[in-house]
Amino acid sequence: MARRTHDYDEDDVRVRPGRRGSRPRTRRRPAHDDASPGFVIAVDRGRYRCLVDPGTAGERGVTAMRARELGRKGVVVGDRVALVGDVSGEPDTLARIVRVEPRRSSLRRTADDTDPFERIIVANADQLVIVTALADPEPRPRMIDRQLVAAYDAGMDPLLCLTKADLADAGPLVAEYAPLGVPYIVTRRGEDGGLDGAEDGAEDGGLDELRGHLSGRMSVLVGHSGVGKSTLVNALVPDAERAVSHVNAVTGRGRHTSSSAIALELPGGDGWIIDTPGVRSFGLAHVDPAHVINAFEDLAKGAAERCPPHCDHLQENCGLDGWVDDGHASRARLDSLRRLLASREGEPE
């Protein structure tokens, strides 16, 4: 008996039966060409707060959920998304996120250096502000190193923000990171616990200088608990009303006051900051060492010319030593690079 065949035009839709005799499902997925663009500013228990038409007269906040068609693709603060459904922003309405646009950057970390599962903290930020206190709690250079590695891996510009200069001198820590050429800001607290316009290595106050670095950019603030991130956020965005923690006198650690990341617009629409929960570890299992050295242009050229394949730049026969001896880069820069690379191998502080 001859087998029946069918000819299909390009416009035909093939269907397959549902699992339990339900309505047939097409293999095509809707394109959602009429979806509204949105920007994720907060995530809370499976609900996503998004801005629709940001920067326009029609800007409004919309609550959304993930559409089933996204599969396992995660949605994080900073993502640009496509929304369908009720995007009016009216109370008790719910839209659906049907598409996550390609990310320009992803700040990632793992639970520790052996964890194979990476977590994306925020998306599309272009500057990482590493907030560390000069005292109460004491600075943790290895944590700073790890966050610098994460910034270089993500292709983000790092900025050191050193807080509580009223309690300790910033000079030693600034000198430690000077070979890296990372810009820094120093702030101090006033008598009321708020921020004074503090010294920063320049004539202007620290907070004003920080505003200059944040202007026109998407910046994410990271640091462990108690370093003053929430105090900074409240000074930069007065109506943010972020809860401020106190450092435990026994453990020297801060209490978590921010439970999730949130994006806040700077006054006058002059950029965005993303406040993140305090972290006590910063795993780097996902980081390729090549991404770190590429942030050091003077050393990356030497690695390409003189290092053997798969060199981790930590062994004795690394070609970078000769590169430095020949005057192409400074020994301090190489020592700093190796400290950052070695931070991937050690336990997070």
Side-chain angles (χ1 to χ4, degrees):
M1 186 174 188
R3 191 182 213 180
R4 288 186 69 183
T5 60
H6 296 276
D7 294 326
Y8 290 93
D9 294 328
E10 291 184 358
D11 294 332
D12 287 340
V13 177
R14 301 188 184 192
V15 299
R16 55 191 174 95
R19 292 181 179 177
R20 299 180 181 176
S22 58
R23 291 171 48 190
R25 295 178 295 167
T26 70
R27 290 184 178 179
R28 295 181 180 177
R29 293 289 182 261
H32 297 301
D33 293 332
D34 59 344
S36 300
F39 167 52
V40 180
I41 60 173
V43 179
D44 183 19
R45 292 171 291 185
R47 292 294 183 262
Y48 303 86
R49 191 64 177 169
C50 307
L51 280 186
V52 175
D53 297 329
T56 70
E59 177 181 299
R60 58 200 181 277
V62 172
T63 300
M65 61 180 290
R66 294 171 66 255
R68 182 178 300 177
E69 60 208 75
L70 282 183
R72 295 187 177 182
K73 186 174 183 63
V75 181
V76 299
V77 171
D79 268 328
R80 302 286 176 172
V81 297
L83 297 157
V84 300
D86 194 330
V87 294
S88 65
E90 295 294 326
D92 302 320
T93 59
L94 189 64
R96 289 184 298 126
I97 298 175
V98 295
R99 187 170 61 249
V100 178
E101 305 299 348
R103 292 164 174 155
R104 293 183 291 106
S105 69
S106 298
L107 179 63
R108 304 173 293 166
R109 75 179 181 98
T110 55
D112 54 48
D113 291 332
T114 62
D115 185 0
F117 301 103
E118 65 184 54
R119 175 190 174 193
I120 298 178
I121 304 173
V122 296
N124 297 317
D126 53 22
Q127 182 170 234
L128 182 65
V129 183
I130 300 171
V131 184
T132 188
L134 294 166
D136 190 31
E138 294 298 314
R140 296 162 58 184
R142 280 193 292 168
M143 175 69 86
I144 298 173
D145 291 347
R146 286 172 167 271
Q147 292 164 348
L148 283 171
V149 169
Y152 294 139
D153 177 66
M156 299 168 61
D157 295 329
L159 172 68
L160 290 180
C161 182
L162 309 179
T163 63
K164 305 184 184 180
D166 51 299
L167 301 180
D169 179 19
L173 196 60
V174 168
E176 187 171 352
Y177 288 93
L180 292 175
V182 178
Y184 69 92
I185 300 294
V186 179
T187 66
R188 68 174 68 243
R189 296 175 299 184
E191 294 182 359
D192 60 356
L195 291 178
D196 283 341
E199 65 190 85
D200 65 325
E203 294 289 329
D204 297 330
L207 193 59
D208 289 340
E209 187 76 4
L210 178 57
R211 289 191 184 99
H213 281 276
L214 301 176
S215 177
R217 309 193 71 171
M218 176 82 72
S219 304
V220 53
L221 277 62
V222 297
H224 56 281
S225 300
V227 298
K229 285 193 291 86
S230 295
T231 301
L232 283 172
V233 171
N234 290 336
L236 293 165
V237 187
D239 58 355
E241 298 181 351
R242 298 294 271 176
V244 179
S245 70
H246 299 281
V247 176
N248 188 301
V250 176
T251 65
R253 291 179 174 178
R255 177 173 57 87
H256 292 285
T257 53
S258 303
S259 59
S260 60
I262 183 170
L264 300 163
E265 190 171 20
L266 294 171
D270 191 25
W272 287 81
I273 57 172
I274 301 176
D275 188 19
T276 62
V279 294
R280 290 176 179 164
S281 65
F282 213 100
L284 299 171
H286 60 284
V287 173
D288 182 346
H291 292 172
V292 181
I293 193 171
N294 286 340
F296 295 75
E297 295 183 5
D298 50 343
L299 297 172
K301 185 177 179 181
E305 292 185 10
R306 300 196 181 183
C307 290
H310 310 298
C311 178
D312 64 6
H313 311 302
L314 298 174
Q315 65 259 38
E316 293 183 1
N317 63 338
C318 176
L320 288 178
D321 289 295
W323 182 259
V324 168
D325 291 341
D326 290 344
H328 298 294
S330 72
R331 176 61 59 178
R333 288 272 287 176
L334 178 56
D335 290 344
S336 295
L337 168 67
R338 284 177 169 160
R339 190 180 71 194
L340 295 182
L341 291 173
S343 71
R344 295 179 64 255
E345 310 299 329
E347 291 298 321
E349 186 177 340

